[in-house]
Amino acid sequence: LLPNNVAILRKASLCFASATLFLLYLTLRRTNANAVFALLCVISVGYLPTFQREGSSISVETLQWFFLAMSIFSWQSLKCARPLRRTWVFHFFVLAIALGLGACTKFIGVFTWVWICILSFYSFWQILGDVKLTTRQLLCYSACQVFFLGVVPLIIFTSSYTLQLNNWQIDTP
C-alpha cells in the first residue's frame, strides 16, 4: 500500500498517531467530557514516551491504536445516534470497518470486536423491551447488527489473511 521508503513510512506512522490523538479528543468530547479535560488527556497521552517512540518510528502499534480509537469513537457515536437513521447506519458502517481492520492488525483487535459485540447484544437486549418499536423495526435493527458486527468485519478479517497467505513468496521457518 505504501512505498518501501523509511521516511514515508515514518510520516505515515506519525499521521496515524496524530489521528489517534484527534479521535481520542473527539471520543472524550462525545462522552460529554469538558473540553479542557479532554485536551489535557490528549496532551498527557501525547507526552507518553512510549507513544512518542512508537509514533515516530515505523510501527504497527500506531495502526492498532488508530483502529482502536476509531472503534471506540464510532461506538460512542453509534450510541448517541437514533437507531435505524442515516447517521446510525453510517457510524455502524465505520465501526464495522474499524473493527475489521483492527482485527487484521493485531489480535487485540479481535478482542475489541468481541467486546463491541457483547456491548451491542446488551444494547439490543435493552431495546427489545421498547414497546414503541414494531416487529419490522426490531428485525431491521437485528439484521443491521448481524451484518455490521458479524459479516463486514469477518469479510475484512478473512480477506486480509487470505491475501497474506496467498502472497507469501519465501517460505521461512
Side-chain angles (χ1 to χ4, degrees), residues 17-18 22 24 32 34 47 50 53 68 77 80 89 96 104 109 115 119 121 126 133 141 147 155 160 166 173:
S18 300
F22 180 66
L24 175 64
N32 294 328
N34 186 356
Y47 273 107
T50 304
R53 184 177 55 251
L68 181 65
S77 298
C80 293
V89 172
C104 295
W115 179 247
L119 290 176
F121 180 74
Q126 290 179 334
L133 291 177
Y141 185 87
F147 180 73
I155 288 173
S160 169
N166 287 337

Side-chain angles (χ1 to χ4, degrees), residues 74-94:
S74 297
W75 176 252
Q76 288 298 328
S77 298
L78 186 69
K79 289 188 344 183
C80 293
R82 290 187 57 195
L84 304 175
R85 300 282 189 235
R86 190 175 303 170
T87 56
W88 184 81
V89 172
F90 172 75
H91 289 301
F92 229 148
F93 180 71
V94 172

Side-chain angles (χ1 to χ4, degrees), residues 100-101 103-104 113 150-166:
L101 292 174
C104 295
W113 183 14
V151 175
V152 173
L154 186 65
I155 288 173
I156 293 171
F157 182 70
T158 55
S159 64
S160 169
Y161 278 104
T162 302
L163 286 172
Q164 179 183 0
L165 291 174
N166 287 337

Side-chain angles (χ1 to χ4, degrees), residues 94-159:
V94 172
L95 176 64
I97 299 295
L99 288 174
L101 292 174
C104 295
T105 308
K106 292 184 91 176
F107 283 112
I108 189 69
V110 175
F111 296 119
T112 305
W113 183 14
V114 169
W115 179 247
I116 293 290
C117 286
I118 290 170
L119 290 176
S120 180
F121 180 74
Y122 179 72
S123 172
F124 177 71
W125 189 259
Q126 290 179 334
I127 286 181
L128 200 60
D130 191 1
V131 291
K132 294 179 183 176
L133 291 177
T134 64
T135 306
R136 180 178 175 269
Q137 288 173 327
L138 283 175
L139 287 174
C140 186
Y141 185 87
S142 59
C144 285
Q145 283 198 333
V146 167
F147 180 73
F148 287 122
L149 291 179
V151 175
V152 173
L154 186 65
I155 288 173
I156 293 171
F157 182 70
T158 55
S159 64

